[in-house]
Amino acid sequence: MDSKKINFKDPAEIKEEILQKYPRKVAMKRAKSMVANDTEQAKEIQSNVRTIPGIITQRGCTYAGCKGVVLGPTRDVINLTHGPIGCGYYSWLTRRNQTNTPSQDPNDKIDGENYIPYCFSTDMQDENIVFGGEKKLMEAIREAYEIFKPKAISVFSTCPIGLIGDDVHQVARAASEELGINVFGFSCEGYRGVSQSAGHHIANNGLLTHVVGRNDNGPEGKFKVNLLGEYNIGGDAFVLEQMFEELGITLISTFSGNSTITAFEQAHTADLNMVMCHRSINYIAEMMETKYGIPWIKINFIGADATAKSLRKMAVYFDDSELSAKVEAYIGKNMEIAEKVRSEVVKTTKGKLAMMFVGGSRAHHYQDLFEELEMPTIAAGYEFAHRDDYEGRQVLPGIKVDADSRNIEEISVSADPERYKPRKTEEQMAMLESKGFKFSDYEGMMAQMSNNALVIDDITHWETEKLVEYFQPAIFCAGIKEKYAVQKMGVPLKQLHSYDYGGPYAGFEGVINFYKEIERMVGTKIWQLIKAPWQGEPEIVGTVGMEI
Amino acid sequence: MEALKEKAFVSTRNACKLCTPLGASIAYKGIAGCVPLIHGSQGCATYIRRYLISHYKEPVDIASTNFSEESAIFGGQSNLFAALNNITKQYKPEIIGIATTCLSETIGDDMQAIIQHYQAQNTLPDSPQLTYVSTPSFKGTHANGYHDTVLALVKRFAAFTETNNAINLLPGFLSTADLRHLKEIMRDCGLPSIMLPDYSDTLDNEYNGSYEKVPEGGTSIEELVAAGSSRASIELGHILNHATSKESAGTYLEKNFSIPRFNLPIPIGIKASDEFFTILQRLSGAAMPQKYLKQRGRLVDAYVDGHKYVFGKKAIVYGEEDFVLSMVGFLEEIGLETVLCASGGGSGLLKKMISEKVNPRQDIMVRDDFDFEDIAVACRDLKPDLMIGNSKGYYIARELGIPLIRVGFPIHDRLGGQRIRHVGYEGTHELFEKIANALIEHMQEHSPVGYKYM
Ligand code: SF4
Ligand code: SF4
């Protein structure tokens, strides 16, 4: 076991206590999604399975993953929701993914299009459900075009659409022809998958099919990369963009923080794909490798050590001494600044327990930051990840394909006859690999966690409550849906979807923000005010003419 | 862009309405011991929870029947059964309030039959009560969902036992502070009341260091039953669920239990509050407590003092239809000129109601079935001085550089949005000062001189 790891007490007792309250069948199912981590022997965790009806979950729907997460942050595409009003309304500017707006960009690097603040919906009414909504959809696409003349419009289907059988793809094709712009549809009805995850996959497929590879004139540069699975929450992408610029790295596209359709179209011109959030984006990384010959590596820019490690990995790949020197200088300078802050805040944070249940990568990435704060992660889990995100990609061949995964169209991808170009020779790849360099690999969350730390997939509301009660962590990381329940129990909750409207937390700048934020949160004295001093039985200290 | 101005769009661009099960969930949250259950895919429940949680800043547990592709094809009965069992075991609720969604309605699940079937199998004495409401979002808005749920609840529970002395108070979709204030008024007037629903505690809970899964408070089932034996109902709002139903909770009780119904506007402004207090006085047969005379007097005093700041300013009001209706009445009183009343609701009654109930001095542009982009376009000609409504209109106010007075629902960009008071003399007073102060502040900030004496 490496030195950062702890040997926690076996959590069997709390697990038992949690399961007791469930009906028997539910308990049996949930037991498989709750695992005490074992640093000696890899364990299997059940994940990416249906949430049980009536058990309150953190998860959203397929539509949310497709429209909200992957396509949502792209500013120059109009996202049109085909369905009744709620689905579109609830995903209207709530994810806090930021983007450059025209006024922020004096160098005119962008074209002034920003449709993120708009929420277009076909707002299906009774008669559209009965007679079909294709006509209305076509009309809505024309309207969106008429108002903004965008270069692309994408259409997202919500639950009733699949049932009434509207063919959004057919309508999209017809609209493309009529308007002469790129219109593409997604069959991302909420019920299709077990969570947002299915929506990510559908979005990846659609982007590869309809967008990537349409424009060969990407920016020039010596080191060209794509950053995949970075969504610019709280301005993270801005920090990373600046970092790349300082290092002389050309960022062709980010999927999809601060992104544009044009950049997506040029993504195939990059020479390396760097994957942040493995869950939401690994599909397109894999497919781009097959289709265009771009290798991918897993990186993480959350945490000082992780950022340094990721930058070094990138430098090794490009194998350029000048770049390596630049990277080392950059790391050296920034580490020193970060360390100064860290050594201060750690006085408050050291030894306090953290828990995180969020997303499909953040519950892993943020463990790096908590390690630096010397706060052990006693329990963690994802909301919508799969086994490979927990146990590592080596388990992929063994994952059973169930009815829900079969719902998502697997697209067949082959090498592009014109654009496929291996970025390294086989010898070069083998050389790198022999030095321990890992392509297309992700070792998962559990490899990093301490012994007996509790790993829970798709944690339920009830389990959250019990865990907090039992472990009394100093901080709980999740989202807005959990925030007020956890805080009612006297534990601060850090939102890791929206960053509590703070951030950025990526790169070295982010590290410092996060250190300070957590110090403030775990050090707060607000919880001491819960009881009024005069609560309870009064203590009589004097008579009416009280003596002083 | 000019050509687009008068165009009627088929798409909705930045909607000024939410979906029906959200309204149902809020109403259910006002029933004691109730866990709402949304029958459909989990996304709807998750989105709705997130929306309510960020407005109320409270835990809001809403379960889902978590449809899969299979349930979408074969119907949601088995998912519903599983959900009911699991909620019962975890929450021990007194009642589970089911709301359907677009999905289950498109499939055509026969809720009544499914629930009967379930109840026939589950006869344990501690099984929760079940109730349901049909809330497809392709009919109506969150306001319809809300009122339809209140109606469904009285239909399900109200019964005639023996006449009691209570007044049913059907407040409509108001803030938690509004509900508390209404209860206080009823108490002060010596009128026992059954407020339906009452989420003043459940969605605005105090902090005490522990987490209650089913928070205390709400209208109890006994009260719901007793609502059929009350001596009168006061139903606030004139439009209610008109777009989706021929009857409201108040008219249902009147028709089936002969309970006289007093239908009043939401009491915002002096005139509407006067109407409300007049009815209370008639019902109590006693003089109004001094307290309210004083509150009213202070409000008149404030109008007099503040008139100079607000008079003649042009306002845009948007939100649920009944809310807009009352708000316009209030603005007329204080001399603000309403240039546009807009709602995402589509009862078709808004214009008629405004001319009937408010009878404004000048012709007001009234639009239902409107979205925020329609509002934005209208603003170019109307050149308003301020906007009054929920957070979602912020972007328009920002573009125009005018103040937005945040009222109604949802308010996601301010603290305390859930407990803004709008009703009664005091609520009106707070609202009036908020509006006047926003205009003063705007004037002050846009003046080249740093006046501190305005
Ligand atoms: S499907 Fe209907 S109920 Fe569900 S979120 Fe969309 S509009 Fe609301
Ligand atoms: S209807 Fe379907 S797509 Fe819309 S929010 Fe609900 S689950 Fe998601």
Side-chain angles (χ1 to χ4, degrees):
Chain A
M1 224 172 7
D2 78 38
S3 63
K4 282 183 196 145
K5 288 188 181 168
I6 296 178
N7 195 1
F8 289 119
K9 187 174 143 237
D10 185 350
E13 181 192 9
I14 175 67
K15 192 174 160 182
E16 222 13 72
E17 215 182 301
I18 286 172
L19 293 174
Q20 247 173 36
K21 186 79 179 250
Y22 287 127
R24 207 178 53 89
K25 260 165 74 185
V26 175
M28 273 164 61
K29 185 167 176 196
R30 287 303 300 155
K32 292 187 215 150
S33 290
M34 281 181 209
V35 169
N37 196 42
D38 188 334
T39 41
E40 302 303 321
Q41 194 193 342
K43 281 198 177 166
E44 180 177 331
I45 183 163
Q46 170 183 264
S47 53
N48 194 35
V49 291
R50 284 263 160 207
T51 299
I52 301 157
I55 304 283
I56 293 182
T57 169
Q58 302 180 322
R59 286 172 168 177
C61 65
T62 307
Y63 162 84
C66 184
K67 190 252 181 185
V69 176
V70 180
L71 268 298
T74 308
R75 64 174 166 266
D76 58 350
V77 58
I78 287 184
N79 288 332
L80 172 66
T81 299
H82 185 35
I85 198 62
C87 325
Y89 188 96
Y90 301 127
S91 57
W92 173 19
L93 212 58
T94 44
R95 251 182 64 82
R96 260 194 106 249
N97 34 245
Q98 303 186 7
T99 198
N100 270 327
T101 57
S103 58
Q104 284 171 340
D105 202 326
N107 304 326
D108 194 30
K109 266 188 280 185
I110 60 159
D111 37 26
E113 284 179 274
N114 178 16
Y115 308 122
I116 293 178
Y118 291 91
C119 168
F120 282 88
S121 168
T122 52
D123 192 0
M124 301 275 276
Q125 297 299 307
D126 213 7
E127 66 274 13
N128 311 125
I129 299 288
V130 178
F131 300 111
E134 292 180 7
K135 266 212 196 100
K136 191 171 195 184
L137 173 60
M138 187 67 183
E139 213 27 58
I141 296 173
R142 288 193 188 114
E143 285 178 355
Y145 180 73
E146 198 183 338
I147 306 170
F148 291 112
K149 305 272 179 317
K151 32 174 120 53
I153 296 175
S154 50
V155 178
F156 301 87
S157 312
T158 72
C159 287
I161 303 308
L163 276 190
I164 63 174
D166 277 2
D167 187 344
V168 297
H169 306 283
Q170 174 52 36
V171 175
R173 267 193 301 275
S176 262
E177 255 166 54
E178 179 183 316
L179 305 173
I181 59 164
N182 193 0
V183 184
F184 45 99
F186 294 95
S187 293
C188 54
E189 287 86 351
Y191 61 76
R192 278 196 197 271
V194 307
S195 68
Q196 292 94 312
S197 175
H200 304 145
H201 195 162
I202 292 167
N204 278 234
N205 289 351
L207 283 172
L208 190 89
T209 312
H210 300 290
V211 186
V212 175
R214 288 168 68 104
N215 181 339
D216 295 325
N217 307 314
E220 282 312 313
K222 198 166 169 192
F223 312 110
K224 295 192 288 189
V225 303
N226 294 320
L227 185 56
L228 306 186
E230 200 310 307
Y231 299 105
N232 203 17
I233 305 295
D236 278 354
F238 298 145
V239 174
L240 300 178
E241 283 168 18
Q242 209 191 339
M243 172 181 85
F244 289 132
E245 188 157 327
E246 216 175 310
L247 295 169
I249 303 289
T250 307
L251 183 63
I252 303 286
S253 72
T254 302
F255 284 66
S256 53
N258 192 28
S259 63
T260 61
I261 279 284
T262 312
F264 287 166
E265 288 174 348
Q266 299 163 342
H268 63 292
T269 63
D271 294 321
L272 175 67
N273 276 329
M274 300 198 286
V275 171
M276 275 283 278
C277 171
H278 173 259
R279 182 68 268 137
S280 60
I281 213 85
N282 76 87
Y283 319 95
I284 208 164
E286 285 279 298
M287 293 187 289
M288 274 160 85
E289 175 149 29
T290 314
K291 193 164 178 183
Y292 302 110
I294 311 170
W296 71 267
I297 57 171
K298 175 78 180 73
I299 47 85
N300 173 24
F301 291 119
I302 300 291
D305 291 334
T307 301
K309 215 168 114 191
S310 299
L311 287 175
R312 288 190 176 118
K313 194 166 172 184
M314 176 193 72
V316 170
Y317 171 82
F318 282 114
D319 190 21
D320 180 280
S321 57
E322 205 180 311
L323 177 64
S324 296
K326 249 192 197 163
V327 162
E328 285 312 319
Y330 181 86
I331 293 172
K333 177 182 79 184
N334 285 292
M335 269 298 194
E336 200 184 308
I337 305 169
E339 180 52 30
K340 231 193 226 139
V341 181
R342 196 196 72 87
S343 58
E344 273 307 306
V345 303
V346 90
K347 292 175 195 155
T348 311
T349 57
K350 191 180 166 89
K352 298 201 159 106
L353 294 181
M355 282 187 190
M356 57 218 77
F357 290 92
V358 59
S361 64
R362 290 180 202 268
H364 180 194
H365 291 163
Y366 278 79
Q367 293 192 24
D368 285 286
L369 271 171
F370 282 107
E371 260 171 29
E372 287 162 17
L373 290 164
E374 298 181 37
M375 294 176 69
T377 300
I378 176 83
Y382 298 119
E383 179 181 332
F384 48 74
H386 303 191
R387 273 182 60 200
D388 39 325
D389 305 294
Y390 287 104
E391 303 167 51
R393 277 180 77 94
Q394 74 282 355
V395 303
L396 272 175
I399 296 181
K400 288 197 297 287
V401 181
D402 59 10
D404 284 310
S405 351
R406 259 194 295 273
N407 255 338
I408 308 159
E409 187 201 9
E410 275 293 340
I411 55 173
S412 71
V413 180
S414 53
D416 186 293
E418 284 148 44
R419 297 183 180 83
Y420 181 84
K421 176 179 80 158
R423 302 315 204 257
K424 298 257 171 204
T425 62
E426 268 175 36
E427 298 80 73
Q428 282 172 322
M429 296 282 271
M431 242 293 264
L432 281 168
E433 272 169 347
S434 72
K435 283 197 267 179
F437 195 91
K438 285 189 176 143
F439 286 104
S440 316
D441 187 52
Y442 175 39
E443 61 169 6
M445 166 200 280
M446 285 159 100
Q448 180 164 355
M449 291 179 70
S450 290
N451 203 41
N452 279 329
L454 202 48
V455 187
I456 304 182
D457 182 64
D458 184 24
I459 194 169
T460 69
H461 218 52
W462 155 248
E463 290 157 15
T464 303
E465 191 192 326
K466 288 316 276 183
L467 281 192
V468 169
E469 208 180 270
Y470 187 84
F471 289 111
Q472 292 291 317
I475 194 146
F476 193 99
C477 302
I480 185 79
K481 295 194 296 302
E482 296 74 40
K483 187 171 181 85
Y484 302 106
V486 169
Q487 292 190 165
K488 289 261 185 220
M489 293 183 263
V491 171
L493 186 141
K494 177 75 197 157
Q495 287 174 241
L496 283 189
H497 295 277
S498 72
Y499 294 177
D500 278 316
Y501 324 107
Y505 297 142
F508 286 104
E509 188 187 326
V511 160
I512 291 167
N513 288 338
F514 197 78
Y515 288 167
K516 289 184 178 162
E517 177 94 28
I518 297 302
E519 180 197 31
R520 187 181 60 75
M521 287 184 87
V522 304
T524 177
K525 303 218 163 29
I526 187 75
W527 315 109
Q528 293 161 12
L529 297 176
I530 294 169
K531 271 224 159 16
W534 38 259
Q535 241 168 310
E537 286 300 304
E539 197 181 314
I540 312 275
V541 288
T543 49
V544 180
M546 205 195 287
E547 290 163 49
I548 302 175
Chain B
M1 277 296 190
E2 277 308 297
L4 300 174
K5 209 156 49 189
E6 287 308 315
K7 187 177 147 64
F9 284 89
V10 311
S11 53
T12 296
R13 302 148 310 137
N14 298 349
C16 185
K17 60 178 174 184
L18 294 88
C19 75
T20 43
L22 175 131
S25 304
I26 295 171
Y28 281 143
K29 276 307 227 185
I31 306 303
C34 182
V35 174
L37 169 62
I38 296 184
H39 187 48
S41 297
Q42 77 202 10
C44 312
T46 296
Y47 271 147
I48 288 169
R49 276 179 71 211
R50 190 181 65 186
Y51 242 71
L52 295 182
I53 290 168
S54 29
H55 175 83
Y56 290 103
K57 308 210 164 31
E58 288 287 338
V60 182
D61 289 8
I62 298 172
S64 164
T65 49
N66 299 68
F67 274 35
S68 62
E69 174 115 358
E70 200 188 316
S71 11
I73 298 166
F74 300 111
Q77 172 167 314
S78 63
N79 281 49
L80 187 75
F81 283 16
L84 292 172
N85 287 339
N86 289 329
I87 297 169
T88 305
K89 181 99 198 229
Q90 287 172 92
Y91 285 83
K92 302 236 171 311
E94 279 172 46
I95 168 168
I96 298 177
I98 306 164
T100 61
T101 59
C102 303
L103 181 59
S104 63
E105 290 281 345
T106 307
I107 298 166
D109 273 350
D110 179 350
M111 297 307 286
Q112 186 129 22
I114 297 178
I115 290 172
Q116 269 168 8
H117 186 177
Y118 180 81
Q119 278 171 328
Q121 291 177 2
N122 291 271
T123 46
L124 292 177
D126 61 346
S127 301
Q129 304 266 16
L130 302 180
T131 185
Y132 89 96
V133 60
S134 165
T135 42
S137 227
F138 40 80
K139 287 185 204 159
T141 69
H142 63 294
N144 296 89
Y146 183 96
H147 292 294
D148 283 342
T149 304
V150 178
L151 170 65
L153 283 164
V154 296
K155 277 190 170 168
R156 165 79 174 78
F157 291 105
F160 184 78
T161 43
E162 58 191 275
T163 307
N164 66 43
N165 205 23
I167 309 293
N168 296 327
L169 181 58
L170 304 160
F173 182 26
L174 299 176
S175 77
T176 58
D178 287 334
L179 299 186
R180 280 194 290 272
H181 191 42
L182 291 176
K183 283 201 289 190
E184 179 193 358
I185 294 171
M186 297 299 279
R187 243 188 338 261
D188 289 345
C189 291
L191 289 167
S193 65
I194 297 174
M195 189 160 80
L196 171 60
D198 176 6
Y199 43 83
S200 59
D201 286 325
T202 54
L203 290 177
D204 193 4
N205 222 324
E206 82 268 24
Y207 195 96
N208 61 16
S210 73
Y211 164 57
E212 305 296 334
K213 265 211 294 287
V214 181
E216 264 176 52
T219 319
S220 66
I221 294 182
E222 294 73 52
E223 286 176 300
L224 282 171
V225 174
S229 317
S230 293
R231 104 181 139 95
S233 303
I234 299 177
E235 189 161 45
L236 301 180
H238 290 298
I239 295 175
L240 304 166
N241 47 344
H242 183 82
T244 41
S245 167
K246 282 197 210 53
E247 54 187 359
S248 67
T251 59
Y252 170 84
L253 289 168
E254 184 169 48
K255 195 165 143 223
N256 294 278
F257 297 93
S258 307
I259 299 174
R261 167 184 185 249
F262 297 92
N263 184 214
L264 304 172
I266 297 169
I268 305 176
I270 292 182
K271 199 170 146 254
S273 299
D274 281 351
E275 274 185 66
F276 180 65
F277 279 94
T278 306
I279 295 296
L280 296 191
Q281 193 178 37
R282 263 177 66 192
L283 288 169
S284 72
M288 249 320 124
Q290 268 298 312
K291 177 176 165 188
Y292 294 102
L293 211 59
K294 283 193 171 284
Q295 286 181 5
R296 188 179 187 282
R298 276 194 291 267
L299 175 57
V300 176
D301 192 54
Y303 276 14
V304 173
D305 297 347
H307 189 250
K308 58 181 180 176
Y309 299 109
V310 299
F311 181 75
K313 297 281 192 216
K314 292 192 282 184
I316 282 183
V317 185
Y318 59 88
E320 296 97 27
E321 290 164 291
D322 273 315
F323 188 79
V324 168
L325 175 63
S326 283
M327 203 50 99
V328 181
F330 158 62
L331 297 181
E332 278 292 306
E333 264 170 22
I334 61 174
L336 258 165
E337 188 190 330
T338 310
V339 291
L340 170 64
C341 291
S343 177
S347 70
L349 286 181
L350 188 56
K351 195 175 174 77
K352 182 167 155 257
M353 282 295 162
I354 287 179
S355 66
E356 254 173 45
K357 304 282 171 194
V358 181
N359 190 20
R361 280 161 309 203
Q362 75 291 342
D363 217 21
I364 299 178
M365 178 175 173
V366 179
R367 294 284 185 272
D368 55 12
D369 224 343
F370 231 42
D371 59 30
F372 281 110
E373 281 299 277
D374 293 326
I375 295 177
V377 171
C379 279
R380 286 188 208 130
D381 287 340
L382 297 171
K383 308 225 173 338
D385 297 299
L386 77 161
M387 293 179 68
I388 301 174
N390 59 59
S391 292
K392 298 293 152 174
Y394 168 67
Y395 78 100
I396 302 174
R398 177 183 160 113
E399 225 170 85
L400 298 172
I402 59 173
L404 166 64
I405 314 299
R406 286 173 178 75
V407 290
F409 174 93
I411 295 173
H412 286 159
D413 56 353
R414 286 293 182 275
L415 276 184
Q418 76 276 40
R419 53 179 87 99
I420 292 174
R421 197 149 53 143
H422 314 81
V423 303
Y425 301 121
E426 276 200 336
T428 304
H429 197 145
E430 286 162 12
L431 214 55
F432 176 70
E433 284 178 351
K434 212 186 251 185
I435 292 172
N437 282 332
L439 289 166
I440 293 171
E441 187 178 330
H442 186 76
M443 218 160 37
Q444 190 171 34
E445 300 216 320
H446 289 80
S447 152
V449 185
Y451 291 116
K452 4 187 198 315
Y453 183 87
M454 303 282 293

